[in-house]
Amino acid sequence: MAIERTFSILKPDATRRNLTGKINAVFEEAGLRIVAQKRIHMTRAQAEAFYGVHKERGFFNDLVSFMISGPVVVQVLEGENAVAKHRDVMGATNPANAAEGTVRKLFAESIEANSVHGSDSLENAAIEIAYFFAGTEIVG
Ligand code: UDP
């Protein structure tokens, strides 16, 4: 299986409740390695551009407001089949539908405040990583 890199965000509900270590422990135990990481407070423009694919959706404005309501941790995770593995360990978007043991089942507050973001394809992972990190900030 191929070694991949994917993009991950620990969302404001996770930083507010001091859960970043517990969530990253789940990722690390699943075989994902954190090869880049920083804590930032996104601007509205950054969050709007990041979630631009959803701009016609009814939840867009609330989502952007939530994403800038506090600091986030942006990170790059590396491992075998990292994109799909990360999505599996995150669990379903709505925590009510998330499988036992997944991050969203364990920690999410709601469909919006669902603790984590993860790239949904290898192509989007590359775009999202480049949006937040310079190549020199990623140390494998
Ligand atoms: N979201 C929301 N309401 C919805 C669907 C999604 O607030 O009905 C938020 C939620 O935070 C989700 C993000 O928008 O993580 C992006 O949605 P997507 O469908 O891409 O879900 P994901 O890939 O994060 O599981």
Side-chain angles (χ1 to χ4, degrees), residues 11 51 54 57 59 63 66 87 90-93 104 111-114 116-118 120:
K11 294 184 178 181
Y51 278 118
H54 293 307
R57 309 285 291 276
F59 60 79
L63 173 61
F66 164 64
R87 297 281 298 183
M90 285 166 50
T93 308
R104 284 169 166 167
I111 190 170
E112 177 182 87
N114 60 3
V116 284
H117 165 85
D120 62 2

mmCIF file of all heavy atoms in Angstrom, residues 11 51 54 57 59 63 66 87 90-93 104 111-114 116-118 120, ligand 1:
data_model
loop_
_atom_site.group_PDB
_atom_site.id
_atom_site.type_symbol
_atom_site.label_atom_id
_atom_site.label_comp_id
_atom_site.label_asym_id
_atom_site.label_seq_id
_atom_site.Cartn_x
_atom_site.Cartn_y
_atom_site.Cartn_z
ATOM 1 N N LYS A 11 -10.607 21.084 15.116
ATOM 2 C CA LYS A 11 -11.490 22.250 15.007
ATOM 3 C C LYS A 11 -11.625 22.993 16.347
ATOM 4 O O LYS A 11 -11.207 22.485 17.397
ATOM 5 C CB LYS A 11 -12.854 21.783 14.483
ATOM 6 C CG LYS A 11 -12.800 21.255 13.038
ATOM 7 C CD LYS A 11 -14.193 20.898 12.514
ATOM 8 C CE LYS A 11 -14.141 20.433 11.071
ATOM 9 N NZ LYS A 11 -15.509 20.116 10.542
ATOM 10 N N TYR A 51 -13.403 26.360 2.691
ATOM 11 C CA TYR A 51 -14.667 25.633 2.535
ATOM 12 C C TYR A 51 -15.456 26.128 1.316
ATOM 13 O O TYR A 51 -16.669 25.915 1.238
ATOM 14 C CB TYR A 51 -15.512 25.759 3.809
ATOM 15 C CG TYR A 51 -15.106 24.786 4.903
ATOM 16 C CD1 TYR A 51 -14.637 25.230 6.135
ATOM 17 C CD2 TYR A 51 -15.204 23.409 4.709
ATOM 18 C CE1 TYR A 51 -14.271 24.339 7.136
ATOM 19 C CE2 TYR A 51 -14.843 22.508 5.706
ATOM 20 C CZ TYR A 51 -14.385 22.985 6.912
ATOM 21 O OH TYR A 51 -14.026 22.092 7.901
ATOM 22 N N HIS A 54 -18.379 24.452 -0.412
ATOM 23 C CA HIS A 54 -19.693 24.390 0.254
ATOM 24 C C HIS A 54 -20.433 25.727 0.244
ATOM 25 O O HIS A 54 -21.436 25.873 0.945
ATOM 26 C CB HIS A 54 -19.523 23.957 1.722
ATOM 27 C CG HIS A 54 -19.051 22.560 1.895
ATOM 28 N ND1 HIS A 54 -19.667 21.474 1.311
ATOM 29 C CD2 HIS A 54 -18.003 22.041 2.605
ATOM 30 C CE1 HIS A 54 -19.032 20.361 1.655
ATOM 31 N NE2 HIS A 54 -18.018 20.686 2.421
ATOM 32 N N ARG A 57 -24.194 25.967 0.178
ATOM 33 C CA ARG A 57 -24.947 25.139 1.130
ATOM 34 C C ARG A 57 -25.492 26.009 2.257
ATOM 35 O O ARG A 57 -24.907 27.026 2.631
ATOM 36 C CB ARG A 57 -24.042 24.045 1.737
ATOM 37 C CG ARG A 57 -23.284 23.213 0.716
ATOM 38 C CD ARG A 57 -24.155 22.196 0.004
ATOM 39 N NE ARG A 57 -24.569 21.129 0.904
ATOM 40 C CZ ARG A 57 -23.827 20.053 1.189
ATOM 41 N NH1 ARG A 57 -22.632 19.913 0.654
ATOM 42 N NH2 ARG A 57 -24.279 19.107 1.991
ATOM 43 N N PHE A 59 -25.551 25.581 5.331
ATOM 44 C CA PHE A 59 -24.780 25.625 6.576
ATOM 45 C C PHE A 59 -23.487 26.430 6.449
ATOM 46 O O PHE A 59 -22.739 26.560 7.411
ATOM 47 C CB PHE A 59 -24.469 24.194 7.069
ATOM 48 C CG PHE A 59 -23.675 23.340 6.112
ATOM 49 C CD1 PHE A 59 -22.299 23.475 5.989
ATOM 50 C CD2 PHE A 59 -24.305 22.366 5.342
ATOM 51 C CE1 PHE A 59 -21.559 22.686 5.122
ATOM 52 C CE2 PHE A 59 -23.567 21.565 4.460
ATOM 53 C CZ PHE A 59 -22.192 21.727 4.355
ATOM 54 N N LEU A 63 -20.921 27.507 9.414
ATOM 55 C CA LEU A 63 -19.683 26.719 9.456
ATOM 56 C C LEU A 63 -18.460 27.636 9.509
ATOM 57 O O LEU A 63 -17.542 27.422 10.315
ATOM 58 C CB LEU A 63 -19.617 25.797 8.236
ATOM 59 C CG LEU A 63 -18.307 25.025 8.040
ATOM 60 C CD1 LEU A 63 -18.023 24.104 9.216
ATOM 61 C CD2 LEU A 63 -18.351 24.228 6.723
ATOM 62 N N PHE A 66 -18.186 29.211 12.897
ATOM 63 C CA PHE A 66 -17.676 28.219 13.853
ATOM 64 C C PHE A 66 -16.168 28.034 13.694
ATOM 65 O O PHE A 66 -15.420 28.020 14.684
ATOM 66 C CB PHE A 66 -18.405 26.885 13.668
ATOM 67 C CG PHE A 66 -17.708 25.732 14.315
ATOM 68 C CD1 PHE A 66 -17.547 25.686 15.701
ATOM 69 C CD2 PHE A 66 -17.170 24.691 13.562
ATOM 70 C CE1 PHE A 66 -16.870 24.637 16.320
ATOM 71 C CE2 PHE A 66 -16.494 23.649 14.161
ATOM 72 C CZ PHE A 66 -16.346 23.621 15.540
ATOM 73 N N ARG A 87 -9.965 9.249 7.287
ATOM 74 C CA ARG A 87 -11.426 9.390 7.189
ATOM 75 C C ARG A 87 -12.131 8.306 8.009
ATOM 76 O O ARG A 87 -13.128 8.578 8.685
ATOM 77 C CB ARG A 87 -11.871 9.305 5.730
ATOM 78 C CG ARG A 87 -11.337 10.403 4.838
ATOM 79 C CD ARG A 87 -12.065 11.705 4.945
ATOM 80 N NE ARG A 87 -13.457 11.618 4.562
ATOM 81 C CZ ARG A 87 -14.283 12.672 4.529
ATOM 82 N NH1 ARG A 87 -13.830 13.882 4.853
ATOM 83 N NH2 ARG A 87 -15.529 12.540 4.185
ATOM 84 N N MET A 90 -11.811 9.170 11.668
ATOM 85 C CA MET A 90 -12.622 10.348 12.015
ATOM 86 C C MET A 90 -14.069 9.965 12.285
ATOM 87 O O MET A 90 -14.705 10.487 13.185
ATOM 88 C CB MET A 90 -12.607 11.364 10.865
ATOM 89 C CG MET A 90 -11.325 12.144 10.732
ATOM 90 S SD MET A 90 -11.231 13.003 9.139
ATOM 91 C CE MET A 90 -12.791 13.827 9.034
ATOM 92 N N GLY A 91 -14.636 9.092 11.450
ATOM 93 C CA GLY A 91 -16.043 8.716 11.562
ATOM 94 C C GLY A 91 -16.943 9.628 10.743
ATOM 95 O O GLY A 91 -16.497 10.616 10.153
ATOM 96 N N ALA A 92 -18.226 9.301 10.724
ATOM 97 C CA ALA A 92 -19.208 10.025 9.909
ATOM 98 C C ALA A 92 -19.313 11.488 10.325
ATOM 99 O O ALA A 92 -19.109 11.828 11.495
ATOM 100 C CB ALA A 92 -20.569 9.353 10.025
ATOM 101 N N THR A 93 -19.678 12.337 9.347
ATOM 102 C CA THR A 93 -19.797 13.781 9.590
ATOM 103 C C THR A 93 -20.684 14.082 10.794
ATOM 104 O O THR A 93 -20.342 14.916 11.638
ATOM 105 C CB THR A 93 -20.395 14.461 8.333
ATOM 106 O OG1 THR A 93 -19.635 14.070 7.191
ATOM 107 C CG2 THR A 93 -20.388 15.972 8.468
ATOM 108 N N ARG A 104 -15.139 11.192 15.979
ATOM 109 C CA ARG A 104 -16.389 11.959 16.080
ATOM 110 C C ARG A 104 -17.373 11.310 17.039
ATOM 111 O O ARG A 104 -18.116 12.011 17.745
ATOM 112 C CB ARG A 104 -16.971 12.174 14.688
ATOM 113 C CG ARG A 104 -16.188 13.264 13.933
ATOM 114 C CD ARG A 104 -16.537 13.324 12.487
ATOM 115 N NE ARG A 104 -16.051 14.541 11.836
ATOM 116 C CZ ARG A 104 -16.013 14.706 10.516
ATOM 117 N NH1 ARG A 104 -16.419 13.735 9.708
ATOM 118 N NH2 ARG A 104 -15.565 15.831 10.002
ATOM 119 N N ILE A 111 -23.188 17.962 14.444
ATOM 120 C CA ILE A 111 -22.785 17.801 13.030
ATOM 121 C C ILE A 111 -21.868 18.938 12.600
ATOM 122 O O ILE A 111 -21.015 18.748 11.736
ATOM 123 C CB ILE A 111 -24.021 17.676 12.111
ATOM 124 C CG1 ILE A 111 -23.614 17.252 10.691
ATOM 125 C CG2 ILE A 111 -24.835 18.962 12.089
ATOM 126 C CD1 ILE A 111 -24.781 16.868 9.797
ATOM 127 N N GLU A 112 -22.020 20.117 13.186
ATOM 128 C CA GLU A 112 -21.140 21.249 12.848
ATOM 129 C C GLU A 112 -19.847 21.179 13.667
ATOM 130 O O GLU A 112 -18.745 21.170 13.100
ATOM 131 C CB GLU A 112 -21.849 22.569 13.108
ATOM 132 C CG GLU A 112 -20.953 23.776 12.843
ATOM 133 C CD GLU A 112 -21.691 25.071 13.157
ATOM 134 O OE1 GLU A 112 -21.650 25.502 14.331
ATOM 135 O OE2 GLU A 112 -22.311 25.627 12.241
ATOM 136 N N ALA A 113 -19.999 21.144 14.972
ATOM 137 C CA ALA A 113 -18.831 21.120 15.871
ATOM 138 C C ALA A 113 -18.394 19.670 16.036
ATOM 139 O O ALA A 113 -18.566 19.051 17.096
ATOM 140 C CB ALA A 113 -19.198 21.756 17.211
ATOM 141 N N ASN A 114 -17.825 19.133 14.939
ATOM 142 C CA ASN A 114 -17.519 17.698 14.907
ATOM 143 C C ASN A 114 -16.017 17.417 14.998
ATOM 144 O O ASN A 114 -15.535 16.388 14.529
ATOM 145 C CB ASN A 114 -18.169 17.034 13.696
ATOM 146 C CG ASN A 114 -17.697 17.625 12.379
ATOM 147 O OD1 ASN A 114 -16.836 18.490 12.358
ATOM 148 N ND2 ASN A 114 -18.251 17.136 11.286
ATOM 149 N N VAL A 116 -13.077 17.457 13.966
ATOM 150 C CA VAL A 116 -11.978 17.221 13.030
ATOM 151 C C VAL A 116 -12.397 17.415 11.577
ATOM 152 O O VAL A 116 -13.556 17.206 11.217
ATOM 153 C CB VAL A 116 -11.407 15.783 13.178
ATOM 154 C CG1 VAL A 116 -10.548 15.676 14.421
ATOM 155 C CG2 VAL A 116 -12.506 14.724 13.176
ATOM 156 N N HIS A 117 -11.420 17.804 10.777
ATOM 157 C CA HIS A 117 -11.546 17.803 9.314
ATOM 158 C C HIS A 117 -10.496 16.863 8.755
ATOM 159 O O HIS A 117 -9.386 16.808 9.278
ATOM 160 C CB HIS A 117 -11.287 19.209 8.732
ATOM 161 C CG HIS A 117 -11.043 19.180 7.246
ATOM 162 N ND1 HIS A 117 -12.068 19.200 6.337
ATOM 163 C CD2 HIS A 117 -9.886 19.065 6.517
ATOM 164 C CE1 HIS A 117 -11.558 19.118 5.105
ATOM 165 N NE2 HIS A 117 -10.238 19.039 5.190
ATOM 166 N N GLY A 118 -10.825 16.175 7.673
ATOM 167 C CA GLY A 118 -9.835 15.368 6.969
ATOM 168 C C GLY A 118 -10.087 15.402 5.480
ATOM 169 O O GLY A 118 -11.242 15.349 5.034
ATOM 170 N N ASP A 120 -10.738 14.508 1.672
ATOM 171 C CA ASP A 120 -11.555 13.400 1.167
ATOM 172 C C ASP A 120 -10.948 12.711 -0.055
ATOM 173 O O ASP A 120 -11.526 11.763 -0.569
ATOM 174 C CB ASP A 120 -12.987 13.868 0.880
ATOM 175 C CG ASP A 120 -13.052 14.941 -0.200
ATOM 176 O OD1 ASP A 120 -11.998 15.305 -0.772
ATOM 177 O OD2 ASP A 120 -14.171 15.418 -0.464
HETATM 178 N N1 UDP B 1 -21.449 20.586 8.200
HETATM 179 C C1 UDP B 1 -22.496 21.218 8.854
HETATM 180 N N2 UDP B 1 -23.781 20.826 8.566
HETATM 181 C C2 UDP B 1 -24.055 19.868 7.645
HETATM 182 C C3 UDP B 1 -22.989 19.241 6.981
HETATM 183 C C4 UDP B 1 -21.692 19.623 7.276
HETATM 184 O O1 UDP B 1 -22.278 22.100 9.690
HETATM 185 O O2 UDP B 1 -25.248 19.561 7.427
HETATM 186 C C5 UDP B 1 -20.057 20.996 8.513
HETATM 187 C C6 UDP B 1 -19.299 19.968 9.366
HETATM 188 O O3 UDP B 1 -18.446 20.681 10.258
HETATM 189 C C7 UDP B 1 -18.508 19.219 8.306
HETATM 190 C C8 UDP B 1 -18.154 20.343 7.330
HETATM 191 O O4 UDP B 1 -19.343 21.145 7.289
HETATM 192 O O5 UDP B 1 -17.373 18.583 8.851
HETATM 193 C C9 UDP B 1 -17.815 19.901 5.923
HETATM 194 O O6 UDP B 1 -18.844 19.061 5.443
HETATM 195 P P1 UDP B 1 -18.516 17.722 4.634
HETATM 196 O O7 UDP B 1 -19.803 17.255 4.030
HETATM 197 O O8 UDP B 1 -17.367 17.980 3.718
HETATM 198 O O9 UDP B 1 -18.134 16.691 5.790
HETATM 199 P P2 UDP B 1 -16.748 16.016 6.258
HETATM 200 O O10 UDP B 1 -15.948 15.705 5.009
HETATM 201 O O11 UDP B 1 -16.066 17.011 7.173
HETATM 202 O O12 UDP B 1 -17.175 14.773 7.003
#
